[in-house]
C-alpha cells in the first residue's frame, strides 16, 4: 500500500475542484484498506480516552459533501472504536423556527464539543454559504435587518459571512477546540450511480428523495460555491482537506490518517498525574481494599 501523504489534501490557496482527484485507492485492495482503517481508528480511540482524561481540548470534525458523498458511513466506520460517551454527532437539517430566531451560527455554537470530547458536524455551519448561496431566497427566512429581498443579498453579504465564519472558528480554536474540516469530493458520475442504487435496492429506498435530483441539476452552482467557500475559509487553525470520495474505503482511511497525524502533534495531551499525596499512599489504599471480606 502506498504511503498516505496527508498534506496532499490540504487546501492552501484558491482551488479548482475540477482539477482535484475524486478517486484514490493507494494501490491497495479493499481488505487492505479496511485493515489500515482498523489500525488507525484503534489509535484514535486510545487518543480519545487520553483527551477525555486530560480535559483541556475538544475536537470538532466538520464533514461537507454533495448528496451521497458518504458522510454517514464514514462517521460509522471511522469512530467505531470510540467510547460512545466521547463522541457526539450532530446532523444539521433545515433550521427550525427557534433556530431562525437566532443568528445563523447559534445552533452550531451550542453544539460544539465539551473539553475532552469529539463532536462531528454532519453538514455544518458552511451550509450558510453553500445551500443558501445556491438558493438565496432561504436567507429571507432569517428575517435579517436590511435584507428585504433577494436583490439585497450581494457579494458583500457573502464576504461578510466568510469573515464571520473565520472569526467564529478562530475564537473557538483559541479556546481549546481542535478543528478538522473535510470536503468529501465526489464525481458527478459516482453520485449518479449511488442515486441509482438507492432506487434499485429496496433496502436503500428510504435514502432516496426526489429532491436529490432537483439539487443534482444545480451541480455546477454547488461546485462553484464550494470552491469559493473552501478557498476563503481554509486557515491554519481550521484547515480544509479535500478528500477523494468515489472510493469510500479510501476516503475513510484518509480522514482517519489526517486526524491521527495532526492530533499526535499535541504533546501536551496526556493523562493527568495523580496528586503526590494520593500517589504516595496507593499501597495503603490497596491493602485496605484487600483486607475487605466478601
Amino acid at each position: 500500500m502506498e504511503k498516505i501523504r496527508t498534506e496532499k489534501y490540504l487546501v492552501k490557496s484558491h482551488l479548482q475542484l475540477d482539477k482535484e482527484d475524486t478517486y484514490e485507492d493507494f494501490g491497495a485492495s479493499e481488505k487492505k484498506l479496511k485493515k489500515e482503517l482498523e489500525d488507525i481508528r484503534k489509535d484514535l480511540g486510545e487518543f480519545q480516552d487520553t483527551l477525555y482524561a486530560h480535559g483541556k481540548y475538544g475536537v470538532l470534525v466538520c464533514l461537507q459533501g454533495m448528496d451521497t458523498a458518504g458522510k454517514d458511513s464514514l462517521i460509522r466506520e471511522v469512530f467505531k472504536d470510540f467510547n460512545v460517551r466521547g463522541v457526539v454527532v450532530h446532523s444539521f437539517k433545515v433550521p427550525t423556527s427557534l433556530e431562525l430566531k437566532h443568528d445563523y451560527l447559534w445552533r452550531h455554537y451550542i453544539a460544539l464539543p465539551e473539553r475532552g470530547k469529539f463532536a462531528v458536524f454532519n453538514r455544518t455551519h458552511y451550509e450558510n454559504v453553500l445551500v443558501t448561496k445556491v438558493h438565496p431566497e432561504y436567507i429571507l427566512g432569517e428575517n435579517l435587518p436590511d435584507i428585504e429581498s433577494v436583490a439585497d443579498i450581494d457579494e458583500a453579504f457573502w464576504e461578510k459571512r466568510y469573515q464571520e465564519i473565520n472569526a467564529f472558528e478562530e475564537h473557538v480554536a483559541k479556546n481549546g477546540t481542535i478543528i478538522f474540516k473535510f470536503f468529501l469530493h465526489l464525481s458527478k458520475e459516482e453520485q449518479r450511480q449511488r442515486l441509482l442504487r438507492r432506487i434499485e435496492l429496496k433496502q436503500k429506498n428510504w435514502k432516496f428523495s426526489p429532491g436529490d435530483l432537483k439539487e443534482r441539476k444545480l451541480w455546477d452552482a454547488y461546485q462553484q460555491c464550494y470552491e469559493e467557500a473552501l478557498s476563503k475559509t481554509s486557515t491554519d487553525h481550521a484547515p480544509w482537506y479535500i478528500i477523494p470520495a468515489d472510493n469510500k474505503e479510501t476516503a475513510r482511511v484518509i480522514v482517519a490518517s489526517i486526524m491521527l497525524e495532526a492530533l499526535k502533534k499535541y504533546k501536551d495531551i496526556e493523562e493527568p498525574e495523580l496528586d503526590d499525596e494520593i500517589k504516595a499512599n496507593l499501597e495503603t489504599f490497596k491493602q485496605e481494599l484487600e483486607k475487605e471480606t466478601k
Side-chain angles (χ1 to χ4, degrees):
M1 179 172 168
E2 299 171 14
K3 179 177 173 57
I4 300 174
R5 295 184 296 107
T6 58
E7 70 279 2
K8 171 184 176 182
Y9 308 101
L10 178 65
V11 176
K12 298 178 181 177
S13 59
H14 183 75
L15 62 99
Q16 291 180 268
L17 284 178
D18 61 359
K19 297 186 182 302
E20 299 291 333
D21 293 335
T22 62
Y23 183 87
E24 178 64 87
D25 63 13
F26 303 118
S29 65
E30 182 175 327
K31 182 178 180 180
K32 176 63 177 176
L33 289 168
K34 286 184 176 180
K35 179 62 170 63
E36 182 74 10
L37 179 58
E38 287 174 5
D39 293 341
I40 299 170
R41 73 184 181 208
K42 180 181 178 182
D43 289 341
L44 282 172
E46 291 175 355
F47 178 88
Q48 192 276 317
D49 286 338
T50 304
L51 181 86
Y52 183 83
H54 185 248
K56 292 188 177 182
Y57 292 93
V59 179
L60 173 62
V61 180
C62 297
L63 298 176
Q64 284 288 160
M66 298 293 284
D67 292 329
T68 77
K71 297 182 294 298
D72 291 333
S73 61
L74 184 146
I75 293 169
R76 182 189 69 231
E77 296 300 324
V78 170
F79 295 93
K80 188 174 285 186
D81 288 339
F82 275 53
N83 184 318
V84 294
R85 294 188 299 174
V87 58
V88 181
V89 179
H90 301 275
S91 296
F92 293 101
K93 306 296 184 183
V94 176
T96 65
S97 58
L98 172 62
E99 290 166 346
L100 285 171
K101 290 184 182 296
H102 295 268
D103 70 272
Y104 68 94
L105 289 171
W106 175 77
R107 65 175 182 161
H108 305 284
Y109 193 92
I110 62 175
L112 288 171
E114 304 170 27
R115 290 185 175 88
K117 293 188 177 183
F118 280 65
V120 182
F121 285 4
N122 183 352
R123 296 192 184 277
T124 72
H125 42 294
Y126 284 92
E127 292 292 290
N128 296 284
V129 289
L130 293 168
V131 66
T132 54
K133 196 169 185 182
V134 175
H135 299 281
E137 65 274 14
Y138 293 172
I139 293 292
L140 302 181
E142 297 181 24
N143 201 27
L144 296 171
D146 303 322
I147 301 294
E148 301 296 333
S149 70
V150 170
D152 297 322
I153 307 170
D154 55 13
E155 280 305 308
F157 174 89
W158 298 114
E159 285 297 326
K160 182 180 178 183
R161 286 224 157 168
Y162 296 135
Q163 293 169 13
E164 290 167 346
I165 288 173
N166 283 335
F168 163 68
E169 292 175 349
E170 181 178 12
H171 170 69
V172 300
K174 286 181 176 179
N175 283 273
T177 300
I178 302 168
I179 304 172
F180 295 98
K181 300 184 300 193
F182 299 108
F183 170 61
L184 303 187
H185 187 28
L186 187 72
S187 68
K188 192 173 184 180
E189 172 58 21
E190 179 62 21
Q191 188 196 57
R192 187 178 76 88
Q193 294 296 333
R194 293 182 186 182
L195 287 171
L196 281 171
R197 284 197 290 275
R198 288 184 177 184
I199 294 171
E200 294 167 351
L201 299 178
K202 186 175 181 180
Q203 66 270 31
K204 292 184 178 291
N205 284 172
W206 66 273
K207 291 185 176 183
F208 179 76
S209 167
D212 295 339
L213 300 184
K214 179 180 178 182
E215 292 300 285
R216 179 174 165 79
K217 290 176 178 155
L218 300 170
W219 180 275
D220 291 343
Y222 273 107
Q223 297 300 293
Q224 183 177 346
C225 289
Y226 269 112
E227 284 183 4
E228 186 167 359
L230 272 61
S231 297
K232 293 189 175 184
T233 61
S234 188
T235 60
D236 290 341
H237 54 268
W240 273 108
Y241 294 90
I242 299 179
I243 310 300
D246 284 2
N247 183 334
K248 289 186 178 183
E249 300 293 346
T250 308
R252 296 163 188 166
V253 171
I254 296 172
V255 167
S257 297
I258 289 171
M259 288 197 294
L260 183 61
E261 182 179 293
L263 292 171
K264 280 183 174 180
K265 294 178 181 177
Y266 286 81
K267 301 301 183 183
D268 58 324
I269 299 178
E270 55 186 12
E271 293 182 0
E273 291 284 336
L274 281 175
D275 179 89
D276 288 343
E277 184 176 351
I278 295 175
K279 189 187 298 184
N281 287 283
L282 283 178
E283 186 61 31
T284 302
F285 300 141
K286 178 183 176 182
Q287 291 174 5
E288 180 180 337
L289 287 167
E290 289 177 339
K291 287 178 182 178
E292 290 184 9
T293 56
K294 294 183 179 179

